Amino acid sequence: MKLKEWLEPWSMTSLKINTHFLEMEWKPQDEDMDAAWELYVELLTRITTQYLSPEHGDEKNSFRQRA
């Protein structure tokens, strides 16, 4: 079952945005959800988001090497 199908019984198939300068409705397509999943996996698996145990160094030196 796709997320879209799971949310349909609650009428949660789109996002409506209304500000004083913008009004729009966004209905995610399969391509949008695929892109969101790829971004989620990329962010989740980045080295900088993983726990650094004390025996493998410290955050200060790790950050310096990434910058």
Side-chain angles (χ1 to χ4, degrees):
M1 175 181 285
K2 294 188 177 224
L3 180 60
K4 182 192 286 186
E5 296 165 355
W6 187 74
L7 293 174
E8 282 177 353
W10 294 281
S11 299
M12 297 172 58
T13 58
S14 65
L15 175 66
K16 293 182 181 178
I17 299 172
N18 188 3
T19 63
H20 66 279
F21 61 90
L22 172 70
E23 184 176 335
M24 66 175 284
E25 182 175 0
W26 178 67
K27 294 182 179 182
Q29 304 298 315
D30 288 337
E31 295 83 12
D32 299 318
M33 291 184 251
D34 291 342
W37 180 254
E38 288 181 29
L39 179 61
Y40 170 74
V41 170
E42 182 68 26
L43 291 172
L44 186 66
T45 59
R46 292 269 172 146
I47 293 173
T48 54
T49 63
Q50 305 303 312
Y51 174 73
L52 180 63
S53 61
E55 63 267 9
H56 290 106
D58 60 69
E59 289 87 357
K60 186 176 181 181
N61 287 326
S62 177
F63 179 75
R64 192 176 305 133
Q65 290 175 358
R66 298 292 302 166

